[in-house]
């Protein structure tokens, strides 16, 4: 609670006590009771009256201060003095609660995104000094102690540690880093002292990019927000007009007392404030965006969160999205020698190459390669390599190579890249290298289906047989392979026609070479956003980790958000209209009108806050 | 055009924020005005050499519409 709120609370307590006292203890001289009421009224309502007075001068009559002032002064004039005081009192209680709730949700969302570093320890002239991260230049060395946030992107020049990336990615498992590794700002250093050479200025650093994205998120408004703004624009003048008619016509036509109808009209004014209605909708979206950032999904605007809830078709890129994008040895099939030995010869033969296949062989072998044992290496372009290892003639390559050299072998039926190994003109077996499907992809497919996604399609530039296997393994609905970037655009255009009017198409890619399709789809999702500026810029939603199942999580949050938004809209409008009808009939009192105004807004806010309680 | 962001404090409610936003849209020198009630942020685009004048105009509108509201640089 801040100072302003404490002051308001004090006023509420004082005038509340005065109101109660004056209602319960009736003093013989009637005026004294009324004087206490009036004093209580001014204590609780002076700021509203002041603002209302200022608003009359500028002709803003549909402002809530003005409406409350008119309603309560009107009640005072027709002699309903205790009611006027209590209406003002409850209005202020509601306002206080509202600002408390809004403040609280502001703070909890800010805490979810608590990644902004406050300072950097930069080493200058052999001393380390604390400075604003903005003042650190590229190439300078910064020191990060355990428990501190890494303030700028850079490369570790000294030390090793475990980094906590929870705030950035929603990932609880710490990441281990050592000298020479690139580190990103916003991570928290868990253990050792790190010396980092800065590679990017603060404004360009990951943390700044992410904060900018989150901070701008609320400027893109959803259609629900637009609806409620529009509704408020017409609702208030209409209700006020009816109030005016209500105060004048029935007494004249039906010849009834003015006081009754004026009282009913004043209740209308209390209900006519649009704010209760307006505040809960952006608050719900704000909470939804906050909840998704807490799981490492950055949504660039409430419009995208809204669109997610209508996701119908999900189109995925293959490499790097559904698969790990890294080639790995999947299978070793040796004949006459051991698997270990087969892998050793393959790794030795390929040791001078930097081709992804060669790298994966070396990684699988895992031991140091003794270069002295390798002689006469010769690359046979498009087919493989030839080398002398420990005096043995070794051939490592594809089918074509073996056919060319006239060597007998059994063709492997495995899917992926097959490397055959021949030692001294004798076929010794093969190794299968392929891209691995992410463990998380299975979960992603099933939970997308659970969240009303009708169709999951894979688009890839890769070969058909590899794509088919991935597609069948993951039980996707459709796949299109061997596509060039322009083909992807055409396929996506076709898919866009397949969805229903309301339905949305999501494209998920790693953000590299995907810009046209990201732009074309209803919602472009870039994955592995950590550290990739291009992806953050191009996409509407950025997933900080490389887990495709996060899309399903985000859809879940969007469903929850939209349900709460709808609940709030329906609830607020229904209660307001019900109270309007009841007060026109003289059944509802001004008390229920106050409930319809602030009570509804408080309930709507509490409802909106539920979004933040996403199971983490 | 450069994007500017200010902290905007003292807004009573979301509707007041919307109204102030539409008033600020009327100003000639600025584009893409957005006020977020939730994040208490005012953001707009304008030419860099106009910023002083723009700020004066914005403050004038705020003083007229919502005298309790203040903006400050972040």
């Amino acid at each position: 609670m801040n100072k302003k709120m404490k002051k308001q609370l004090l006023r509420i307590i004082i005038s509340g006590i005065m109101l109660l006292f004056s209602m319960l203890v009736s003093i013989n001289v009637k005026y004294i009771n009324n004087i206490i009421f009036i004093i209580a009224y001014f204590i609780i309502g002076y700021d509203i009256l002041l603002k209302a007075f200022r608003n009359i001068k500028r002709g803003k009559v549909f402002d809530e201060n003005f409406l409350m002032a008119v309603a309560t002064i009107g009640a005072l004039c027709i002699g309903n003095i205790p009611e006027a005081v209590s209406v003002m009192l409850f209005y202020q209680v509601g306002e206080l609660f509202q600002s408390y709730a809004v403040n609280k949700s502001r703070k909890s969302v800010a805490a979810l995104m608590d990644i902004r570093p406050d300072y950097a320890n930069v080493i200058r002239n052999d001393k380390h000094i604390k400075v604003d991260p903005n003042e650190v230049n590229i190439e300078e060395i910064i020191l990060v102690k355990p428990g501190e946030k890494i303030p700028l992107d850079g490369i570790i020049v000294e030390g090793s540690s475990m980094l906590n990336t929870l705030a950035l990615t929603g990932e609880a498992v710490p990441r281990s880093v050592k000298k020479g590794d690139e580190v990103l700002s916003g991570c928290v250093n868990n253990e050792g002292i790190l010396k980092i050479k800065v590679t990017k200025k603060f404004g360009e650093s990951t943390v700044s990019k992410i904060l900018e994205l989150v901070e701008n998120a609320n400027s893109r408004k959803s259609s629900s927000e637009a609806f409620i703004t529009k509704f408020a624009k017409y609702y208030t003048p209409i209700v006020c007009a009816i109030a005016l008619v209500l105060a004048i016509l029935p007494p004249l036509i039906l010849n009834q007392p003015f006081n009754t109808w004026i009282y009913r009209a004043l209740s209308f004014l209390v209900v006519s404030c649009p704010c209760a209605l307006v505040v809960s909708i952006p608050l719900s979206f704000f909470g939804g965006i906050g909840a998704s950032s807490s799981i490492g999904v950055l949504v660039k605007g409430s419009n995208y969160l809204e669109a997610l809830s209508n996701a119908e078709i999900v189109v995925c890129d293959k490499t790097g999205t559904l698969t790990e994008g890294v080639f790995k040895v999947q299978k070793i099939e040796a004949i006459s020698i051991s698997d270990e030995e087969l892998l050793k010869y393959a790794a030795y033969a390929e040791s001078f190459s930097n081709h992804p296949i060669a790298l994966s062989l070396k990684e699988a072998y895992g031991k140091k390669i003794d270069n002295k044992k390798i002689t006469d290496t010769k690359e046979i372009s498009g087919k493989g390599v030839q080398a002398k290892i420990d005096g043995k003639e070794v051939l490592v390559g594809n089918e074509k190579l073996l056919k060319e050299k006239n060597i007998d072998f059994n063709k492997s039926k495995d899917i992926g890249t097959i490397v055959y190994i021949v030692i001294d003109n004798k076929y010794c077996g093969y190794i299968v290298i392929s891209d691995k499907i992410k463990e998380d992809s299975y979960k992603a497919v099933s939970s997308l289906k659970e969240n009303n996604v009708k169709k999951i399609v894979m688009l890839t530039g890769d070969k058909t047989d590899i794509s088919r296997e991935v597609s069948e393994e993951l039980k996707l609905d459709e796949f299109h392979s061997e596509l060039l970037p322009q083909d992807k655009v055409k396929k996506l255009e076709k898919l866009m026609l397949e969805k229903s009017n309301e339905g949305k198409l999501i494209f998920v890619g790693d953000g590299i070479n995907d810009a046209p399709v990201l732009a074309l789809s209803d919602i472009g999702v870039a994955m592995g956003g950590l550290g990739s500026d291009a992806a953050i810029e191009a996409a509407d939603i950025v997933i900080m980790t490389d887990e495709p199942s996060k899309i399903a999580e985000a859809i879940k949050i969007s469903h929850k958000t939209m349900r709460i938004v709808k609940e709030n809209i329906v609830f607020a409008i229904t209660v307001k209209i019900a109270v309007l009808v009841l007060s026109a009939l003289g059944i509802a009192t001004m008390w229920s009108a106050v409930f319809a105004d602030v009570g509804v807004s408080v309930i709507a806010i509490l409802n909106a806050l539920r979004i933040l309680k996403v199971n983490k | 055009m450069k994007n500017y962001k200010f902290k905007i404090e003292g807004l009573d409610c979301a509707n007041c924020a919307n109204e102030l936003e539409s008033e600020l849209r009327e100003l000639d020198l600025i584009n893409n005005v957005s006020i977020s009630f939730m994040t208490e942020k005012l953001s707009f685009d304008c030419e860099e050499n106009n910023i002083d004048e723009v700020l004066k105009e914005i403050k004038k509108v705020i003083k007229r519409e919502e005298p309790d509201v203040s903006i400050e640089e972040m």
Side-chain angles (χ1 to χ4, degrees), chain A residues 146-173:
Chain A
E148 287 181 339
K149 285 183 203 117
I150 296 177
L152 299 110
D153 293 0
I155 291 169
I156 300 180
V157 288
E158 204 182 303
S160 63
S161 176
M162 300 294 275
L163 296 186
N164 177 350
T165 62
L166 185 67
L168 283 184
T169 63
E171 178 62 62
V173 182

Side-chain angles (χ1 to χ4, degrees), chain A residues 4 51 54-55 58 60 62-65 95 98 102 105-106 212 215-216 218-219 221 229 232 274-275 278-279 282-283 286, chain B residues 3 5 10-16 18-21 25 34-41 43 63-68 74:
Chain A
K4 206 173 140 197
K51 280 184 196 166
R54 232 165 30 203
N55 286 340
R58 2 179 219 122
K60 264 182 91 176
F62 294 132
D63 168 273
E64 60 176 344
N65 297 307
E95 287 289 291
Q98 190 172 308
V102 168
S105 65
R106 268 184 197 136
E212 201 180 297
E215 280 163 5
N216 285 335
N218 262 46
S219 56
K221 287 176 180 151
T229 312
C275 261
V278 180
V279 73
L283 185 64
F286 185 62
Chain B
N3 180 265
K5 279 193 201 77
L11 281 166
D12 280 332
C13 68
N15 200 42
C16 318
N18 289 344
E19 277 171 17
L20 187 60
E21 183 185 296
R25 276 181 202 284
S34 148
I35 293 180
S36 160
F37 174 65
M38 290 314 306
T39 48
E40 297 185 301
K41 261 183 206 108
S43 132
K63 204 169 174 198
R64 190 181 69 219
E65 295 298 320
E66 299 281 345
D68 297 331
M74 331 197 304

Side-chain angles (χ1 to χ4, degrees), chain A residues 47-326:
Chain A
D47 54 337
I48 307 276
L49 296 171
L50 221 69
K51 280 184 196 166
F53 182 68
R54 232 165 30 203
N55 286 340
I56 302 171
K57 286 199 291 194
R58 2 179 219 122
K60 264 182 91 176
V61 291
F62 294 132
D63 168 273
E64 60 176 344
N65 297 307
F66 179 76
L67 293 167
M68 281 311 295
V70 171
T72 50
I73 291 174
L76 287 177
C77 291
I78 57 171
N80 291 356
I81 298 171
E83 212 151 351
V85 184
S86 4
V87 164
M88 195 56 109
L89 184 66
F90 281 101
Y91 174 75
Q92 292 282 35
V93 171
E95 287 289 291
L96 177 66
F97 189 82
Q98 190 172 308
S99 41
Y100 178 73
V102 168
N103 241 353
K104 203 173 156 167
S105 65
R106 268 184 197 136
K107 269 190 199 140
S108 43
V109 171
L112 292 178
M113 288 307 298
D114 182 23
I115 53 174
R116 186 191 295 279
D118 304 319
Y119 60 88
N121 300 314
V122 66
I123 302 178
R124 284 177 190 158
N125 305 326
D126 288 332
K127 275 184 217 145
H128 57 263
I129 43 173
K130 239 183 207 184
V131 296
D132 187 310
N134 265 316
E135 289 166 21
V136 181
N137 299 313
I138 295 177
E139 298 284 302
E140 281 196 294
I141 306 287
I142 51 168
L143 196 76
V144 182
K145 292 175 210 155
E148 287 181 339
K149 285 183 203 117
I150 296 177
L152 299 110
D153 293 0
I155 291 169
I156 300 180
V157 288
E158 204 182 303
S160 63
S161 176
M162 300 294 275
L163 296 186
N164 177 350
T165 62
L166 185 67
L168 283 184
T169 63
E171 178 62 62
V173 182
R175 189 180 287 188
S176 94
V177 287
K178 54 183 192 307
K179 189 181 163 186
D181 285 349
E182 206 180 317
V183 289
L184 299 170
S185 48
C187 302
V188 178
N189 180 12
N190 272 2
E191 297 171 358
I193 292 176
L194 294 176
K195 274 189 185 166
I196 295 166
K197 189 168 88 184
V198 175
T199 52
K200 275 181 194 164
K201 292 216 88 170
F202 185 64
E204 302 292 312
S205 271
T206 309
V207 67
S208 299
K209 297 256 170 201
I210 292 169
L211 283 170
E212 201 180 297
L213 195 158
V214 175
E215 280 163 5
N216 285 335
N218 262 46
S219 56
R220 287 176 224 224
K221 287 176 180 151
S222 62
S223 62
S224 316
E225 280 166 284
F227 163 76
I228 213 75
T229 312
K230 226 178 187 168
F231 180 87
K233 215 169 134 194
Y234 296 109
Y235 168 81
T236 309
I238 289 174
V239 174
C240 290
I242 299 175
L244 196 65
V245 173
L246 218 54
I248 299 166
L249 280 190
L252 290 181
I253 296 168
L254 306 169
N255 209 6
Q256 285 185 352
F258 267 101
N259 272 11
T260 320
W261 287 96
I262 287 177
Y263 179 83
R264 292 178 191 183
L266 293 175
S267 308
F268 262 58
L269 291 185
V270 175
V271 189
S272 70
C273 296
C275 261
L277 218 55
V278 180
V279 73
S280 71
I281 310 304
L283 185 64
S284 308
F285 280 110
F286 185 62
I289 289 174
S292 25
S293 349
S294 78
I295 59 162
V297 179
L298 305 181
V299 183
K300 283 195 185 170
S302 5
N303 52 338
Y304 300 120
L305 195 66
E306 188 177 43
L308 264 186
S309 68
N310 291 321
E312 212 168 84
I313 302 177
V314 174
V315 182
C316 299
D317 183 33
K318 182 180 77 78
T319 314
T321 304
L322 293 173
T323 65
E324 283 172 357
V326 187

